[in-house]
Amino acid sequence: MQGRHFLNIPGPSPIPDRILRAIAMPIIDHRSAAFAELGRTVLEGCKTVFGTTQPVVIYPSSGTGAWEAAIVNTLSPGDTVLMAETGHFATLWKAIAARFGIEVAFIPGDWRRGADPDAIEAHLADDKAHRIKAVMVVHNETSTGATSRIAEIRRAIDAAGHPALFMVDTISSLASVDYRHDEWQVDVTVSGSQKGLMLPPGLSFNAVSQKALAAASSSRMARSYWDWQEMIKLNAGGFFPYTPATNLLYGLREALAMLQEEGLANVFARHRRLADACRAAVQAWGLEVLCEVPAEQSPVLTAVMMPEGHDADRFRRIALERFNISLGSGLGKVAGKVFRIGHLGECNELSLIGALAGVEMGLAAADVPHQRGGVDAAMALLRD
Ligand SMILES: *Cc1c(COP(=O)(O)O)cnc(C)c1O
């Protein structure tokens, strides 16, 4: 295959060359003054993207580690939590909680929308004894392309007058979709490096509120690697309790600089615009977007439903073989039924148009019934 591969899965996302070059540096002593400066810069700098002035813990791990960290630092075996079945990732987070002996009240969902604030409020209002210790929601459900309205869920928790912790997974939305840890009074924000942050896999995050720190001091869950206490203590000097992923932190420093140069509001607007153009293409093809609620359609990916009787994975394989483009597979309940177009990481108008051309030609090559003109529809939207 000639030329650059089009990586249009919704994470890991394409990495800007500038970040790759920042990572390609000699390793340094992680107990040195030079490291402490890097540590302090990224630990302070990443607070902006979370919208917080409170501590952000950085782990050398995939996002799944930060999911586990949120649970083991705040909860105790036998606790009850409330979660919403938005898709595959919400289901995986629930399974982790269950393995730690947490009872999960799982509000069922059809995988075509975000979490319902009214349903969350009703569950909390019913819980007069305050047995529910945490509400746990996925901000951007990467398996379906549906976002949940975090500000409204915050209001629902407050309207019910419930003291539960609020924990939000922003692994695929952070630095691409508007998010406000402090303003929305989120207690633990979980995130990861390889999606909106434009970095390789390998870093994960917990932004932690004072209320979450208080919960950590009374939590009875065994933990070691994920323990916030030792992390936060050493982070004060720019250090970590164990070897950090030094070169990924160089990358993080560069990613934060890029986000600052563009301006977060402009970054969010760029993703919304590309997402609108992607959806215009899907509509022109005569195909259906999985997320049924327009206001909840994700700025970072679009999950497209295959026409009845056509296998999404066969289509993806043909698009890859013919046009060197990777598209996201359907996960869990929607395996084989949807494909996902990522528009996150390093992306602009032409990278999207190239990807949409790959999809449109792939649909033809795989004999999937569709109308032509998706790329034209996207270009019409991006022209002005
Ligand atoms: C990718 C993703 C995860 C899992 O992250 P890993 O880095 O693969 O462990 C969890 N939640 C969401 C919303 C994701 O997009």
PDB file of all heavy atoms in Angstrom, residues 218-248:
ATOM      1  N   SER A 218     -12.186   7.034  53.388  1.00  0.00           N
ATOM      2  CA  SER A 218     -13.002   6.050  54.116  1.00  0.00           C
ATOM      3  C   SER A 218     -13.287   4.787  53.299  1.00  0.00           C
ATOM      4  O   SER A 218     -13.932   3.857  53.781  1.00  0.00           O
ATOM      5  CB  SER A 218     -14.313   6.697  54.586  1.00  0.00           C
ATOM      6  OG  SER A 218     -15.029   7.185  53.479  1.00  0.00           O
ATOM      7  N   SER A 219     -12.804   4.738  52.042  1.00  0.00           N
ATOM      8  CA  SER A 219     -13.019   3.548  51.206  1.00  0.00           C
ATOM      9  C   SER A 219     -12.280   2.342  51.786  1.00  0.00           C
ATOM     10  O   SER A 219     -11.151   2.465  52.251  1.00  0.00           O
ATOM     11  CB  SER A 219     -12.515   3.828  49.787  1.00  0.00           C
ATOM     12  OG  SER A 219     -12.020   2.649  49.208  1.00  0.00           O
ATOM     13  N   ARG A 220     -12.930   1.170  51.735  1.00  0.00           N
ATOM     14  CA  ARG A 220     -12.317  -0.043  52.284  1.00  0.00           C
ATOM     15  C   ARG A 220     -11.832  -0.996  51.186  1.00  0.00           C
ATOM     16  O   ARG A 220     -11.581  -2.168  51.435  1.00  0.00           O
ATOM     17  CB  ARG A 220     -13.321  -0.761  53.204  1.00  0.00           C
ATOM     18  CG  ARG A 220     -13.521  -0.057  54.545  1.00  0.00           C
ATOM     19  CD  ARG A 220     -14.588  -0.729  55.408  1.00  0.00           C
ATOM     20  NE  ARG A 220     -15.937  -0.493  54.900  1.00  0.00           N
ATOM     21  CZ  ARG A 220     -16.662  -1.330  54.163  1.00  0.00           C
ATOM     22  NH1 ARG A 220     -16.165  -2.505  53.825  1.00  0.00           N
ATOM     23  NH2 ARG A 220     -17.869  -1.021  53.750  1.00  0.00           N
ATOM     24  N   MET A 221     -11.690  -0.463  49.972  1.00  0.00           N
ATOM     25  CA  MET A 221     -11.228  -1.323  48.883  1.00  0.00           C
ATOM     26  C   MET A 221      -9.703  -1.425  48.921  1.00  0.00           C
ATOM     27  O   MET A 221      -9.025  -0.418  49.089  1.00  0.00           O
ATOM     28  CB  MET A 221     -11.658  -0.679  47.553  1.00  0.00           C
ATOM     29  CG  MET A 221     -11.666  -1.621  46.391  1.00  0.00           C
ATOM     30  SD  MET A 221     -13.115  -2.702  46.383  1.00  0.00           S
ATOM     31  CE  MET A 221     -14.345  -1.619  45.675  1.00  0.00           C
ATOM     32  N   ALA A 222      -9.199  -2.667  48.768  1.00  0.00           N
ATOM     33  CA  ALA A 222      -7.738  -2.825  48.697  1.00  0.00           C
ATOM     34  C   ALA A 222      -7.223  -2.200  47.408  1.00  0.00           C
ATOM     35  O   ALA A 222      -7.842  -2.327  46.359  1.00  0.00           O
ATOM     36  CB  ALA A 222      -7.383  -4.311  48.725  1.00  0.00           C
ATOM     37  N   ARG A 223      -6.135  -1.459  47.478  1.00  0.00           N
ATOM     38  CA  ARG A 223      -5.537  -0.850  46.288  1.00  0.00           C
ATOM     39  C   ARG A 223      -4.081  -0.524  46.581  1.00  0.00           C
ATOM     40  O   ARG A 223      -3.710  -0.284  47.736  1.00  0.00           O
ATOM     41  CB  ARG A 223      -6.285   0.429  45.897  1.00  0.00           C
ATOM     42  CG  ARG A 223      -6.322   1.466  47.014  1.00  0.00           C
ATOM     43  CD  ARG A 223      -7.101   2.703  46.606  1.00  0.00           C
ATOM     44  NE  ARG A 223      -7.164   3.682  47.680  1.00  0.00           N
ATOM     45  CZ  ARG A 223      -8.118   3.731  48.612  1.00  0.00           C
ATOM     46  NH1 ARG A 223      -9.096   2.848  48.622  1.00  0.00           N
ATOM     47  NH2 ARG A 223      -8.076   4.650  49.551  1.00  0.00           N
ATOM     48  N   SER A 224      -3.289  -0.508  45.537  1.00  0.00           N
ATOM     49  CA  SER A 224      -1.884  -0.172  45.695  1.00  0.00           C
ATOM     50  C   SER A 224      -1.428   0.698  44.534  1.00  0.00           C
ATOM     51  O   SER A 224      -1.231   1.893  44.679  1.00  0.00           O
ATOM     52  CB  SER A 224      -1.060  -1.457  45.798  1.00  0.00           C
ATOM     53  OG  SER A 224       0.299  -1.159  45.682  1.00  0.00           O
ATOM     54  N   TYR A 225      -1.327   0.071  43.356  1.00  0.00           N
ATOM     55  CA  TYR A 225      -0.847   0.795  42.166  1.00  0.00           C
ATOM     56  C   TYR A 225      -1.689   2.031  41.881  1.00  0.00           C
ATOM     57  O   TYR A 225      -1.183   3.057  41.453  1.00  0.00           O
ATOM     58  CB  TYR A 225      -0.899  -0.165  40.972  1.00  0.00           C
ATOM     59  CG  TYR A 225      -0.327   0.349  39.676  1.00  0.00           C
ATOM     60  CD1 TYR A 225       1.044   0.342  39.449  1.00  0.00           C
ATOM     61  CD2 TYR A 225      -1.164   0.803  38.653  1.00  0.00           C
ATOM     62  CE1 TYR A 225       1.571   0.780  38.247  1.00  0.00           C
ATOM     63  CE2 TYR A 225      -0.642   1.239  37.436  1.00  0.00           C
ATOM     64  CZ  TYR A 225       0.725   1.231  37.250  1.00  0.00           C
ATOM     65  OH  TYR A 225       1.242   1.656  36.047  1.00  0.00           O
ATOM     66  N   TRP A 226      -3.010   1.910  42.091  1.00  0.00           N
ATOM     67  CA  TRP A 226      -3.937   2.982  41.710  1.00  0.00           C
ATOM     68  C   TRP A 226      -4.163   4.001  42.811  1.00  0.00           C
ATOM     69  O   TRP A 226      -4.914   4.949  42.627  1.00  0.00           O
ATOM     70  CB  TRP A 226      -5.297   2.379  41.310  1.00  0.00           C
ATOM     71  CG  TRP A 226      -5.199   1.343  40.262  1.00  0.00           C
ATOM     72  CD1 TRP A 226      -5.490   0.018  40.374  1.00  0.00           C
ATOM     73  CD2 TRP A 226      -4.786   1.524  38.899  1.00  0.00           C
ATOM     74  NE1 TRP A 226      -5.284  -0.634  39.188  1.00  0.00           N
ATOM     75  CE2 TRP A 226      -4.846   0.269  38.270  1.00  0.00           C
ATOM     76  CE3 TRP A 226      -4.362   2.633  38.147  1.00  0.00           C
ATOM     77  CZ2 TRP A 226      -4.495   0.088  36.926  1.00  0.00           C
ATOM     78  CZ3 TRP A 226      -4.032   2.452  36.822  1.00  0.00           C
ATOM     79  CH2 TRP A 226      -4.090   1.193  36.222  1.00  0.00           C
ATOM     80  N   ASP A 227      -3.538   3.836  43.965  1.00  0.00           N
ATOM     81  CA  ASP A 227      -3.847   4.688  45.113  1.00  0.00           C
ATOM     82  C   ASP A 227      -3.512   6.161  44.837  1.00  0.00           C
ATOM     83  O   ASP A 227      -2.395   6.491  44.445  1.00  0.00           O
ATOM     84  CB  ASP A 227      -3.081   4.196  46.341  1.00  0.00           C
ATOM     85  CG  ASP A 227      -3.668   4.781  47.609  1.00  0.00           C
ATOM     86  OD1 ASP A 227      -4.620   4.176  48.137  1.00  0.00           O
ATOM     87  OD2 ASP A 227      -3.206   5.851  48.042  1.00  0.00           O
ATOM     88  N   TRP A 228      -4.529   7.024  45.043  1.00  0.00           N
ATOM     89  CA  TRP A 228      -4.327   8.461  44.761  1.00  0.00           C
ATOM     90  C   TRP A 228      -3.372   9.111  45.750  1.00  0.00           C
ATOM     91  O   TRP A 228      -2.659  10.061  45.413  1.00  0.00           O
ATOM     92  CB  TRP A 228      -5.658   9.226  44.863  1.00  0.00           C
ATOM     93  CG  TRP A 228      -6.651   8.938  43.801  1.00  0.00           C
ATOM     94  CD1 TRP A 228      -6.396   8.483  42.534  1.00  0.00           C
ATOM     95  CD2 TRP A 228      -8.072   9.114  43.901  1.00  0.00           C
ATOM     96  NE1 TRP A 228      -7.582   8.360  41.838  1.00  0.00           N
ATOM     97  CE2 TRP A 228      -8.617   8.744  42.662  1.00  0.00           C
ATOM     98  CE3 TRP A 228      -8.937   9.544  44.920  1.00  0.00           C
ATOM     99  CZ2 TRP A 228      -9.994   8.800  42.406  1.00  0.00           C
ATOM    100  CZ3 TRP A 228     -10.293   9.604  44.663  1.00  0.00           C
ATOM    101  CH2 TRP A 228     -10.809   9.228  43.425  1.00  0.00           C
ATOM    102  N   GLN A 229      -3.407   8.665  47.000  1.00  0.00           N
ATOM    103  CA  GLN A 229      -2.755   9.389  48.086  1.00  0.00           C
ATOM    104  C   GLN A 229      -1.263   9.627  47.833  1.00  0.00           C
ATOM    105  O   GLN A 229      -0.774  10.754  47.874  1.00  0.00           O
ATOM    106  CB  GLN A 229      -2.952   8.624  49.388  1.00  0.00           C
ATOM    107  CG  GLN A 229      -3.016   9.544  50.559  1.00  0.00           C
ATOM    108  CD  GLN A 229      -3.287   8.771  51.841  1.00  0.00           C
ATOM    109  OE1 GLN A 229      -3.346   7.527  51.856  1.00  0.00           O
ATOM    110  NE2 GLN A 229      -3.442   9.482  52.927  1.00  0.00           N
ATOM    111  N   GLU A 230      -0.550   8.529  47.545  1.00  0.00           N
ATOM    112  CA  GLU A 230       0.890   8.591  47.322  1.00  0.00           C
ATOM    113  C   GLU A 230       1.207   9.397  46.054  1.00  0.00           C
ATOM    114  O   GLU A 230       2.175  10.151  45.999  1.00  0.00           O
ATOM    115  CB  GLU A 230       1.417   7.147  47.209  1.00  0.00           C
ATOM    116  CG  GLU A 230       2.889   6.977  47.417  1.00  0.00           C
ATOM    117  CD  GLU A 230       3.394   7.422  48.792  1.00  0.00           C
ATOM    118  OE1 GLU A 230       2.584   7.654  49.714  1.00  0.00           O
ATOM    119  OE2 GLU A 230       4.633   7.558  48.901  1.00  0.00           O
ATOM    120  N   MET A 231       0.357   9.210  45.041  1.00  0.00           N
ATOM    121  CA  MET A 231       0.502   9.954  43.776  1.00  0.00           C
ATOM    122  C   MET A 231       0.457  11.452  44.040  1.00  0.00           C
ATOM    123  O   MET A 231       1.366  12.183  43.633  1.00  0.00           O
ATOM    124  CB  MET A 231      -0.675   9.623  42.851  1.00  0.00           C
ATOM    125  CG  MET A 231      -0.411   8.500  41.917  1.00  0.00           C
ATOM    126  SD  MET A 231       0.618   9.089  40.554  1.00  0.00           S
ATOM    127  CE  MET A 231       0.412   7.732  39.441  1.00  0.00           C
ATOM    128  N   ILE A 232      -0.605  11.870  44.699  1.00  0.00           N
ATOM    129  CA  ILE A 232      -0.825  13.311  44.887  1.00  0.00           C
ATOM    130  C   ILE A 232       0.286  13.906  45.752  1.00  0.00           C
ATOM    131  O   ILE A 232       0.755  15.015  45.509  1.00  0.00           O
ATOM    132  CB  ILE A 232      -2.248  13.555  45.454  1.00  0.00           C
ATOM    133  CG1 ILE A 232      -3.282  13.248  44.358  1.00  0.00           C
ATOM    134  CG2 ILE A 232      -2.408  14.980  45.966  1.00  0.00           C
ATOM    135  CD1 ILE A 232      -4.723  13.249  44.812  1.00  0.00           C
ATOM    136  N   LYS A 233       0.743  13.107  46.725  1.00  0.00           N
ATOM    137  CA  LYS A 233       1.822  13.576  47.601  1.00  0.00           C
ATOM    138  C   LYS A 233       3.088  13.878  46.783  1.00  0.00           C
ATOM    139  O   LYS A 233       3.644  14.971  46.870  1.00  0.00           O
ATOM    140  CB  LYS A 233       2.115  12.503  48.666  1.00  0.00           C
ATOM    141  CG  LYS A 233       2.838  13.043  49.895  1.00  0.00           C
ATOM    142  CD  LYS A 233       2.783  12.035  51.032  1.00  0.00           C
ATOM    143  CE  LYS A 233       4.045  11.185  51.045  1.00  0.00           C
ATOM    144  NZ  LYS A 233       3.917  10.018  51.939  1.00  0.00           N
ATOM    145  N   LEU A 234       3.484  12.929  45.946  1.00  0.00           N
ATOM    146  CA  LEU A 234       4.708  13.115  45.160  1.00  0.00           C
ATOM    147  C   LEU A 234       4.520  14.091  43.997  1.00  0.00           C
ATOM    148  O   LEU A 234       5.449  14.799  43.611  1.00  0.00           O
ATOM    149  CB  LEU A 234       5.232  11.771  44.671  1.00  0.00           C
ATOM    150  CG  LEU A 234       5.945  11.009  45.789  1.00  0.00           C
ATOM    151  CD1 LEU A 234       5.936   9.527  45.533  1.00  0.00           C
ATOM    152  CD2 LEU A 234       7.369  11.505  45.979  1.00  0.00           C
ATOM    153  N   ASN A 235       3.292  14.131  43.439  1.00  0.00           N
ATOM    154  CA  ASN A 235       3.005  15.059  42.331  1.00  0.00           C
ATOM    155  C   ASN A 235       3.250  16.509  42.738  1.00  0.00           C
ATOM    156  O   ASN A 235       3.574  17.353  41.896  1.00  0.00           O
ATOM    157  CB  ASN A 235       1.540  14.926  41.855  1.00  0.00           C
ATOM    158  CG  ASN A 235       1.286  13.695  40.991  1.00  0.00           C
ATOM    159  OD1 ASN A 235       0.146  13.403  40.647  1.00  0.00           O
ATOM    160  ND2 ASN A 235       2.338  12.962  40.642  1.00  0.00           N
ATOM    161  N   ALA A 236       3.112  16.802  44.014  1.00  0.00           N
ATOM    162  CA  ALA A 236       3.311  18.176  44.492  1.00  0.00           C
ATOM    163  C   ALA A 236       4.706  18.683  44.103  1.00  0.00           C
ATOM    164  O   ALA A 236       4.881  19.867  43.799  1.00  0.00           O
ATOM    165  CB  ALA A 236       3.111  18.238  45.998  1.00  0.00           C
ATOM    166  N   GLY A 237       5.692  17.774  44.047  1.00  0.00           N
ATOM    167  CA  GLY A 237       7.045  18.170  43.646  1.00  0.00           C
ATOM    168  C   GLY A 237       7.324  17.896  42.178  1.00  0.00           C
ATOM    169  O   GLY A 237       8.456  18.062  41.722  1.00  0.00           O
ATOM    170  N   GLY A 238       6.322  17.417  41.436  1.00  0.00           N
ATOM    171  CA  GLY A 238       6.513  17.086  40.017  1.00  0.00           C
ATOM    172  C   GLY A 238       6.951  15.644  39.801  1.00  0.00           C
ATOM    173  O   GLY A 238       7.322  15.267  38.698  1.00  0.00           O
ATOM    174  N   PHE A 239       6.905  14.835  40.881  1.00  0.00           N
ATOM    175  CA  PHE A 239       7.376  13.439  40.792  1.00  0.00           C
ATOM    176  C   PHE A 239       6.224  12.438  40.886  1.00  0.00           C
ATOM    177  O   PHE A 239       5.092  12.806  41.186  1.00  0.00           O
ATOM    178  CB  PHE A 239       8.395  13.185  41.902  1.00  0.00           C
ATOM    179  CG  PHE A 239       9.669  13.984  41.732  1.00  0.00           C
ATOM    180  CD1 PHE A 239       9.987  15.006  42.617  1.00  0.00           C
ATOM    181  CD2 PHE A 239      10.531  13.723  40.675  1.00  0.00           C
ATOM    182  CE1 PHE A 239      11.140  15.755  42.452  1.00  0.00           C
ATOM    183  CE2 PHE A 239      11.694  14.468  40.504  1.00  0.00           C
ATOM    184  CZ  PHE A 239      12.007  15.484  41.394  1.00  0.00           C
ATOM    185  N   PHE A 240       6.577  11.164  40.660  1.00  0.00           N
ATOM    186  CA  PHE A 240       5.601  10.064  40.689  1.00  0.00           C
ATOM    187  C   PHE A 240       6.130   8.963  41.600  1.00  0.00           C
ATOM    188  O   PHE A 240       7.351   8.815  41.731  1.00  0.00           O
ATOM    189  CB  PHE A 240       5.395   9.519  39.269  1.00  0.00           C
ATOM    190  CG  PHE A 240       4.651  10.474  38.360  1.00  0.00           C
ATOM    191  CD1 PHE A 240       5.290  11.585  37.809  1.00  0.00           C
ATOM    192  CD2 PHE A 240       3.313  10.276  38.081  1.00  0.00           C
ATOM    193  CE1 PHE A 240       4.608  12.473  36.994  1.00  0.00           C
ATOM    194  CE2 PHE A 240       2.609  11.167  37.268  1.00  0.00           C
ATOM    195  CZ  PHE A 240       3.256  12.264  36.715  1.00  0.00           C
ATOM    196  N   PRO A 241       5.238   8.172  42.210  1.00  0.00           N
ATOM    197  CA  PRO A 241       5.704   7.137  43.147  1.00  0.00           C
ATOM    198  C   PRO A 241       6.388   5.947  42.463  1.00  0.00           C
ATOM    199  O   PRO A 241       7.068   5.165  43.114  1.00  0.00           O
ATOM    200  CB  PRO A 241       4.432   6.689  43.867  1.00  0.00           C
ATOM    201  CG  PRO A 241       3.300   7.160  43.050  1.00  0.00           C
ATOM    202  CD  PRO A 241       3.784   8.300  42.210  1.00  0.00           C
ATOM    203  N   TYR A 242       6.156   5.794  41.156  1.00  0.00           N
ATOM    204  CA  TYR A 242       6.845   4.732  40.410  1.00  0.00           C
ATOM    205  C   TYR A 242       7.205   5.306  39.048  1.00  0.00           C
ATOM    206  O   TYR A 242       6.820   6.434  38.728  1.00  0.00           O
ATOM    207  CB  TYR A 242       5.989   3.456  40.301  1.00  0.00           C
ATOM    208  CG  TYR A 242       4.514   3.696  40.064  1.00  0.00           C
ATOM    209  CD1 TYR A 242       4.057   4.063  38.808  1.00  0.00           C
ATOM    210  CD2 TYR A 242       3.586   3.566  41.100  1.00  0.00           C
ATOM    211  CE1 TYR A 242       2.712   4.275  38.576  1.00  0.00           C
ATOM    212  CE2 TYR A 242       2.226   3.788  40.877  1.00  0.00           C
ATOM    213  CZ  TYR A 242       1.799   4.147  39.614  1.00  0.00           C
ATOM    214  OH  TYR A 242       0.468   4.367  39.386  1.00  0.00           O
ATOM    215  N   THR A 243       7.939   4.549  38.244  1.00  0.00           N
ATOM    216  CA  THR A 243       8.450   5.104  36.990  1.00  0.00           C
ATOM    217  C   THR A 243       7.310   5.583  36.095  1.00  0.00           C
ATOM    218  O   THR A 243       6.462   4.783  35.708  1.00  0.00           O
ATOM    219  CB  THR A 243       9.288   4.048  36.231  1.00  0.00           C
ATOM    220  OG1 THR A 243      10.137   3.405  37.177  1.00  0.00           O
ATOM    221  CG2 THR A 243      10.114   4.700  35.134  1.00  0.00           C
ATOM    222  N   PRO A 244       7.282   6.852  35.778  1.00  0.00           N
ATOM    223  CA  PRO A 244       6.241   7.366  34.885  1.00  0.00           C
ATOM    224  C   PRO A 244       6.589   7.073  33.431  1.00  0.00           C
ATOM    225  O   PRO A 244       7.719   6.684  33.133  1.00  0.00           O
ATOM    226  CB  PRO A 244       6.252   8.866  35.161  1.00  0.00           C
ATOM    227  CG  PRO A 244       7.654   9.157  35.593  1.00  0.00           C
ATOM    228  CD  PRO A 244       8.192   7.917  36.245  1.00  0.00           C
ATOM    229  N   ALA A 245       5.597   7.275  32.533  1.00  0.00           N
ATOM    230  CA  ALA A 245       5.832   7.059  31.099  1.00  0.00           C
ATOM    231  C   ALA A 245       6.448   8.344  30.537  1.00  0.00           C
ATOM    232  O   ALA A 245       5.801   9.123  29.846  1.00  0.00           O
ATOM    233  CB  ALA A 245       4.522   6.724  30.398  1.00  0.00           C
ATOM    234  N   THR A 246       7.733   8.551  30.861  1.00  0.00           N
ATOM    235  CA  THR A 246       8.403   9.837  30.609  1.00  0.00           C
ATOM    236  C   THR A 246       8.178  10.378  29.200  1.00  0.00           C
ATOM    237  O   THR A 246       7.798  11.543  29.029  1.00  0.00           O
ATOM    238  CB  THR A 246       9.920   9.688  30.857  1.00  0.00           C
ATOM    239  OG1 THR A 246      10.095   9.123  32.163  1.00  0.00           O
ATOM    240  CG2 THR A 246      10.639  11.018  30.772  1.00  0.00           C
ATOM    241  N   ASN A 247       8.390   9.545  28.180  1.00  0.00           N
ATOM    242  CA  ASN A 247       8.315  10.073  26.815  1.00  0.00           C
ATOM    243  C   ASN A 247       6.883  10.427  26.407  1.00  0.00           C
ATOM    244  O   ASN A 247       6.662  11.334  25.614  1.00  0.00           O
ATOM    245  CB  ASN A 247       8.954   9.100  25.828  1.00  0.00           C
ATOM    246  CG  ASN A 247      10.464   9.107  25.988  1.00  0.00           C
ATOM    247  OD1 ASN A 247      10.963   8.966  27.106  1.00  0.00           O
ATOM    248  ND2 ASN A 247      11.190   9.310  24.906  1.00  0.00           N
ATOM    249  N   LEU A 248       5.911   9.704  26.988  1.00  0.00           N
ATOM    250  CA  LEU A 248       4.520  10.092  26.716  1.00  0.00           C
ATOM    251  C   LEU A 248       4.198  11.421  27.384  1.00  0.00           C
ATOM    252  O   LEU A 248       3.359  12.180  26.909  1.00  0.00           O
ATOM    253  CB  LEU A 248       3.560   8.996  27.199  1.00  0.00           C
ATOM    254  CG  LEU A 248       3.598   7.698  26.396  1.00  0.00           C
ATOM    255  CD1 LEU A 248       2.629   6.682  26.983  1.00  0.00           C
ATOM    256  CD2 LEU A 248       3.249   7.964  24.933  1.00  0.00           C
TER     257      LEU A 248
END
